[in-house]
């Protein structure tokens, strides 16, 4: 059955991939930027404008009755640190405004919120379970980005409990897409390494060799969103879930890339403004809750992600463009 869907941040990396997978439905998109060229025919109506424009959001909700909202628009981590007040306005106030419209619409509307491992704040990289952090541990973000994500998770759970908005959220690790390049995110160095290697371009990583985070591919992220949103209500007990596919250091990523692209030129020059963000995040997360409650399972290991998804699709993408 075709559903009415609102996607904010429709022109971003996840939005572009999500529109592709939800294209059987009636999609209304919103973003500050134009849609990716692959999306334009798949979106029923696109609003180019800002999420912080309350009148625009009211107009959209008065025109459509949505079954599902995918609220992807946000300022990402590096941009948030540069403009913390704007970050609060875009990431927090706009989320509360959207949740309020969903509350008014009623009918148990489903609301997807992409959270992040930035909600964690590790005291240092030597603490015991830095390689398997649970959803309930180390919720002490050091960045405004992490603070905004953690607050939105909490307010989302509140709107679920008190007002019946069916809020569901994934704390994403770094996401690697073969189709698009990220901008302004803290985990961007890994996708940037791959895109540069395929294009024979020298790459200088903004974090040091030992920096380690969890990652996954974009198709896995989109499949996970779909699986979580389709899961029966009675399975969704926790509402906020970690997921991950593999964890790797910047050096290990370089070594993997060199084994496929021996001429790749990857250097490291740590930028202190971005390094401390990575250093506050866990090396890896525990995703048992997502496995238990809605059957999350990763598709790829680092090797199969490179061989079966990244290399073929990166090459195809750059040959076509
Ligand atoms: N990509 C990742 O690795 C990752 C990891 C964890 C969480 N997330 C979260 O997933 C969501 C989508 O991320 P993405 O990777 O697609 O990022 P992105 O930057 O590619 O997309 C975000 C989109 O939001 C739009 N946007 C920003 N401010 C806006 C505003 N005021 N009004 C309307 N649109 C606005 C931008 O134009 C952009 O197209 C974000 O909430 C992000 O925090 C992403």
């Amino acid at each position: 059955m075709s559903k009415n869907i609102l996607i904010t941040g429709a022109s971003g990396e996840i939005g572009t991939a999500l529109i592709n997978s939800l294209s059987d439905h009636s999609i209304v998109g919103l973003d500050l930027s134009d849609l990716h060229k692959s999306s334009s025919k798949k979106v029923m109506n696109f609003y180019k404008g800002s999420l912080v424009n309350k009148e625009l959001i009211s107009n959209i909700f008065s025109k459509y009755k949505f079954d599902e909202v995918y609220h992807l628009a946000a300022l990402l981590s590096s941009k948030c640190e540069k403009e913390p007040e704007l970050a609060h306005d875009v990431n927090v106030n706009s989320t509360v405004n959207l949740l309020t419209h969903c509350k008014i619409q009623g009918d148990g509307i489903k609301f997807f919120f992409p959270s992040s491992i930035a909600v964690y704040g590790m005291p240092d990289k030597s603490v015991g379970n830095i390689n398997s952090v649970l959803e309930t541990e180390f919720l002490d973000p050091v960045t405004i980005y992490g603070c905004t994500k953690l607050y939105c998770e909490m307010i989302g759970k509140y709107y679920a409990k008190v007002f019946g908005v069916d809020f569901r959220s994934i704390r994403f690790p770094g996401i690697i897409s073969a189709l698009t390049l990220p901008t302004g995110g803290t985990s961007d160095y890994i996708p940037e390494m791959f895109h540069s290697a395929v294009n024979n371009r020298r790459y200088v990583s903004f974090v040091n060799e030992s920096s380690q985070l969890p990652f996954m591919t974009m198709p896995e992220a989109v499949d996970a969103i779909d699986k979580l949103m389709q899961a029966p209500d009675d399975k969704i007990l926790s509402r906020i879930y970690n997921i991950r596919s593999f964890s790797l250091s910047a050096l290990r990523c370089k070594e993997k890339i060199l084994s496929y692209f021996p001429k790749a030129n990857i250097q490291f020059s740590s930028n202190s403004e971005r390094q401390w963000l990575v250093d506050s995040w866990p090396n890896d997360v525990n995703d048992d809750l997502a496995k238990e409650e809605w059957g999350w399972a990763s598709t790829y290991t680092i090797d199969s992600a490179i061989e079966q998804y990244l290399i073929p699709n990166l090459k195809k993408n750059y040959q076509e463009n």
Side-chain angles (χ1 to χ4, degrees):
M1 197 186 71
S2 176
K3 291 182 258 192
N4 276 346
I5 286 175
L6 172 64
I7 302 181
T8 74
S11 311
E13 275 210 287
I14 299 181
T16 301
L18 191 64
I19 286 171
N20 211 24
S21 86
L22 293 176
S23 58
D24 289 345
H25 301 288
S26 301
I27 300 175
V28 175
L30 167 74
D31 205 295
L32 285 174
S33 315
D34 290 327
L35 286 172
H36 191 272
K37 60 180 186 298
S38 64
S39 303
S40 45
K41 289 200 177 111
K42 296 170 184 156
V43 170
M44 176 176 70
N45 210 343
F46 176 66
Y47 293 85
K48 188 170 175 179
S50 177
L51 199 58
V52 301
N53 179 345
K54 287 191 168 181
E55 205 182 322
L56 174 62
I57 304 299
S58 289
N59 285 342
I60 294 174
F61 273 85
S62 65
K63 221 167 155 187
Y64 302 96
K65 188 171 181 306
F66 293 112
D67 300 295
E68 297 176 355
V69 172
Y70 295 79
H71 174 34
L72 311 178
L75 290 197
L76 302 198
S77 45
S78 301
K79 288 183 190 161
C80 280
E81 292 315 299
K82 289 194 181 102
E83 293 191 74
E85 290 79 20
L86 180 66
H88 193 269
D89 211 17
V90 174
N91 292 12
V92 175
N93 293 342
S94 303
T95 303
V96 175
N97 187 37
L98 277 181
L99 284 166
T100 305
H101 280 285
C102 292
K103 164 189 144 181
I104 293 165
Q105 188 194 287
D107 307 321
I109 184 171
K110 283 186 179 169
F111 191 103
F112 176 75
F113 179 73
S115 190
S116 159
I117 54 167
V119 299
Y120 297 112
M122 311 303 299
D124 64 63
K125 288 270 185 186
S126 66
V127 293
N129 60 353
I130 188 143
N131 295 312
S132 184
V133 169
L134 295 169
E135 281 83 352
T136 48
E137 294 179 298
F138 301 110
L139 295 175
D140 193 13
V142 299
T143 63
I144 183 77
Y145 178 67
C147 293
T148 65
K149 290 291 183 188
L150 185 56
Y151 178 73
C152 288
E153 288 181 2
M154 292 165 83
I155 197 82
K157 278 175 97 169
Y158 175 83
Y159 270 66
K161 191 170 71 180
V162 178
F163 303 124
V165 176
D166 191 353
F167 179 90
R168 303 177 180 202
S169 178
I170 289 173
R171 280 183 194 155
F172 283 113
I175 301 173
I176 316 171
S177 169
L179 188 68
T180 49
L181 255 174
T183 46
T186 296
S187 55
D188 295 358
Y189 57 96
I190 296 285
E192 284 170 358
M193 272 189 210
F194 281 104
H195 283 253
S196 301
V198 169
N199 285 303
N200 296 317
R201 277 200 304 261
R202 178 173 179 259
Y203 181 69
V204 182
S205 163
F206 56 82
V207 296
N208 63 34
E209 295 182 339
S210 60
S211 304
Q212 184 168 346
L213 294 177
F215 285 90
M216 69 193 324
T217 65
M218 186 60 83
E220 292 173 292
V222 169
D223 283 353
I225 295 172
D226 185 51
K227 203 158 198 178
L228 171 63
M229 291 297 269
Q230 301 324 315
D233 295 0
D234 61 348
K235 298 282 179 206
I236 302 300
L237 306 174
S238 308
R239 298 203 175 273
I240 319 287
Y241 305 92
N242 286 334
I243 60 172
R244 45 81 72 201
S245 293
F246 43 83
S247 166
L248 83 168
S249 69
L251 178 61
R252 184 148 167 259
C253 186
K254 173 181 172 174
E255 289 166 353
K256 288 279 171 201
I257 288 174
L258 282 172
S259 69
Y260 293 94
F261 300 94
K263 290 186 182 154
N265 183 350
I266 299 170
Q267 310 293 324
F268 295 90
S269 175
S270 170
N271 168 338
S272 56
E273 276 179 32
R274 300 181 89 178
Q275 182 72 51
W276 76 278
L277 302 185
V278 177
D279 291 344
S280 74
W281 295 0
N283 285 5
D284 207 349
V285 291
N286 181 304
D287 59 359
D288 288 349
L289 210 53
K291 289 175 179 161
E292 283 160 23
E293 292 192 13
W294 49 275
W296 151 250
S298 62
T299 310
Y300 296 120
T301 60
I302 176 61
D303 289 306
S304 62
I306 294 175
E307 284 164 23
Q308 293 166 29
Y309 169 64
L310 281 168
I311 292 185
N313 287 293
L314 279 164
K315 284 187 173 165
K316 185 165 164 259
N317 179 23
Y318 283 108
Q319 271 158 14
E320 282 173 2
N321 295 295

